Amino acid sequence: MNGKCKWLWLACAGAALAQAGEQKTDAWSSASVVTVTAAKPTFDWLVGRWCLQRGDTVIEETWLPARGDIWFAVSRSVRADVTTDFEFARIAMQDGVWSFLAQPQGKAPTVFARTDGGDDWSRFENPQHDFPTRIEYRRAGDELTATIYGPDKQGKEKAIRFPYQRCEALSQ
């Protein structure tokens, strides 16, 4: 690459980076410094009331739209008109990382950091937690699947799936 082409390539690359992030001038050297910021993920695809029936138990999980930068959820399991289980959850920035904070039975939150995701799915992990160590949500139309993963009592990987549908799809 000759000198002219090299500078043209650097100028084009700098312009592309400037569009992707914020460009500032360094006061000490007058050089341009480009800060590239990752796009903020959205979890709006979770929003709604999701239901699952397993035998005589109905599991409901409701996600509220974000106000500010936190998505809140509550879930409950009901059998014969008795609540057998409940959980509060939220997705929020925690120590600079988008995280899923779970509070089963209203206990202190357990933090699972977001490690991967896309437009309609996210993976959250906490390898130090006993079970689960990984939580994944995936959305496909009017179906939302939550899967929790972790070691069973023999140390083998176990997965428990929650294949939710919009609650309106189930007879209540």
Side-chain angles (χ1 to χ4, degrees):
M1 181 181 299
N2 67 33
K4 191 174 187 181
C5 289
K6 186 187 302 181
W7 287 111
L8 181 59
W9 180 86
L10 286 172
C12 290
L17 284 173
Q19 288 177 353
E22 180 180 336
Q23 186 169 8
K24 298 178 182 177
T25 302
D26 182 344
W28 297 102
S29 67
S30 299
S32 287
V33 177
V34 176
T35 304
V36 178
T37 54
K40 175 183 169 185
T42 180
F43 302 96
D44 289 341
W45 51 270
L46 283 168
V47 172
R49 188 166 163 244
W50 304 95
C51 291
L52 161 64
Q53 185 151 1
R54 285 193 172 150
D56 59 352
T57 300
V58 173
I59 304 171
E60 299 172 287
E61 185 164 321
T62 302
W63 282 91
L64 298 176
R67 292 281 188 246
D69 57 355
I70 299 176
W71 287 261
F72 287 101
V74 62
S75 66
R76 65 182 171 187
S77 298
V78 178
R79 181 179 35 216
D81 291 328
V82 175
T83 302
T84 59
D85 200 13
F86 72 94
E87 182 173 346
F88 302 118
R90 66 187 180 271
I91 295 175
M93 186 65 71
Q94 185 82 14
D95 298 325
V97 177
W98 286 103
S99 299
F100 180 90
L101 292 89
Q103 293 183 258
Q105 306 304 104
K107 295 178 183 173
T110 301
V111 179
F112 296 83
R114 184 172 189 259
T115 57
D116 204 356
D119 292 340
D120 55 3
W121 74 282
S122 278
R123 177 182 301 137
F124 303 91
E125 297 183 70
N126 180 341
Q128 283 75 42
H129 193 252
D130 54 358
F131 187 88
T133 56
R134 187 171 82 234
I135 301 169
E136 288 185 18
Y137 280 91
R138 293 181 182 272
R139 167 92 183 265
D142 281 342
E143 296 179 2
L144 177 70
T145 301
T147 309
I148 57 176
Y149 300 87
D152 65 12
K153 292 180 181 180
Q154 290 76 39
K156 294 181 182 177
E157 179 81 1
K158 175 169 109 173
I160 302 173
R161 292 184 65 239
F162 298 87
Y164 295 110
Q165 297 177 343
R166 291 258 182 218
C167 289
E168 298 76 31
L170 290 177
S171 58
Q172 298 285 315

